[in-house]
Amino acid sequence: MNPEALLREGAAALDFPLSEEQAERLMLYFTELRKWMRRINLVARDTTEEQLIELHFLDSLILAPLVAHHPELHLLDIGSGAGFPGLVLAAVLPEARFTLVEPRQKRAVFLRHVARLLGLNRVQVVKERVETLYEQHRGAYSHITGRAVAEPAAFLAMAEPLTAADLAATTEVILFLARPQSLETLSQEIQARWRLHGERSIELPFTRAPRYLACLRRVAPPKITV
């Protein structure tokens, strides 16, 4: 099966069938990625086309049904790397806003190149560490996610300073996990500060590898009465 057919079949199996325009943008992205992989380290060079489609593009698209209908979607992708999941989601949701944080120069150049090539004018690439956003960007995002960046507790600690201090703006942090039991590894202290707001359990369409997305929101601290 050719890559586009694999992409279309897989996306449909994930309950996110692609339009002609969405598939065209993703395949243009796929083609550019294959070219750039020969020169810089974006994903493992021995990754096959089939693996690239399923383990990167489709693995990113499992998030799409959770965010696609948000009226003011602005997703922050921490450690975007080659654009997974942020740039994939931007390619299928071009009207939404995306901020891709990637501190490595060559990868940031690649992300900007593909965003321009696909005409994704609402994608911003930040070539910095995420900590540089803490002071001025608190509460600026509807969703924060990252793929293969850190284990759950460390990722929540990384994302928490970007959630609104007064919780008036409800930022959701979406964790990519293999199974729901991964949440049980969080300490009681961390679990007390976050609540599960949404979730999705699914298998990748061809390898049947399990995936679990946990959407978490900060819990307001108890009011202290005098």
Side-chain angles (χ1 to χ4, degrees):
M1 190 180 298
N2 67 55
E4 183 172 355
L6 201 67
L7 179 68
R8 285 180 173 276
E9 181 179 330
L14 296 175
D15 298 322
F16 196 80
L18 299 172
S19 68
E20 291 293 332
E21 292 79 10
Q22 289 170 327
E24 183 178 347
R25 281 192 294 268
L26 287 175
M27 288 312 300
L28 186 54
Y29 178 5
F30 173 85
T31 300
E32 285 301 298
L33 180 58
R34 292 286 291 170
K35 291 178 184 176
W36 282 60
M37 280 170 57
R38 303 186 192 111
R39 293 180 285 149
I40 67 173
N41 181 26
L42 292 168
V43 299
R45 291 182 179 175
D46 60 352
T47 303
T48 66
E49 291 189 344
E50 293 78 10
Q51 290 171 328
L52 197 56
I53 289 293
E54 181 168 34
L55 301 181
H56 295 289
F57 283 84
L58 294 177
D59 198 35
S60 297
L61 283 178
I62 64 174
L63 201 153
L66 290 176
V67 301
H69 302 295
H70 193 281
E72 296 181 3
L73 178 62
H74 186 180
L75 185 140
L76 172 68
D77 181 15
I78 297 176
S80 194
F84 308 118
L87 196 54
V88 170
L89 294 170
V92 298
L93 302 171
E95 301 303 317
R97 295 176 64 193
F98 291 85
T99 297
L100 313 181
V101 175
E102 174 47 57
R104 288 160 291 193
Q105 174 70 22
K106 291 180 179 179
R107 295 186 180 194
V109 168
F110 170 76
L111 294 173
R112 291 187 180 116
H113 166 72
V114 174
R116 285 194 301 268
L117 186 66
L118 302 186
L120 301 175
N121 300 321
R122 307 201 76 192
V123 169
Q124 178 186 15
V125 178
V126 178
K127 193 201 76 63
E128 301 286 351
R129 293 180 61 84
V130 69
E131 291 83 358
T132 65
L133 303 180
Y134 285 170
E135 186 172 345
Q136 297 183 353
H137 293 255
R138 182 184 291 272
Y141 309 102
S142 64
H143 297 78
I144 299 172
T145 195
R147 186 169 167 268
V149 176
E151 52 89 20
F155 190 82
L156 288 173
M158 197 182 301
E160 187 167 355
L162 289 164
T163 61
D166 60 1
L167 302 180
T170 52
T171 302
E172 289 191 11
V173 177
I174 304 178
L175 299 177
F176 274 78
L177 305 170
R179 53 189 57 84
Q181 290 78 7
S182 301
L183 288 178
E184 297 174 4
T185 64
L186 298 175
S187 68
Q188 291 185 349
E189 179 186 355
I190 295 173
Q191 292 183 43
R193 294 206 306 274
W194 296 87
R195 76 173 183 274
L196 185 64
H197 187 260
E199 59 187 335
R200 188 182 195 202
S201 289
I202 198 166
E203 292 181 342
L204 292 181
F206 305 114
T207 62
R208 315 311 300 178
R211 293 293 186 268
Y212 175 68
L213 299 179
C215 305
L216 304 176
R217 288 184 180 177
R218 278 180 62 193
V219 174
K223 294 182 179 179
I224 300 176
T225 56
V226 179

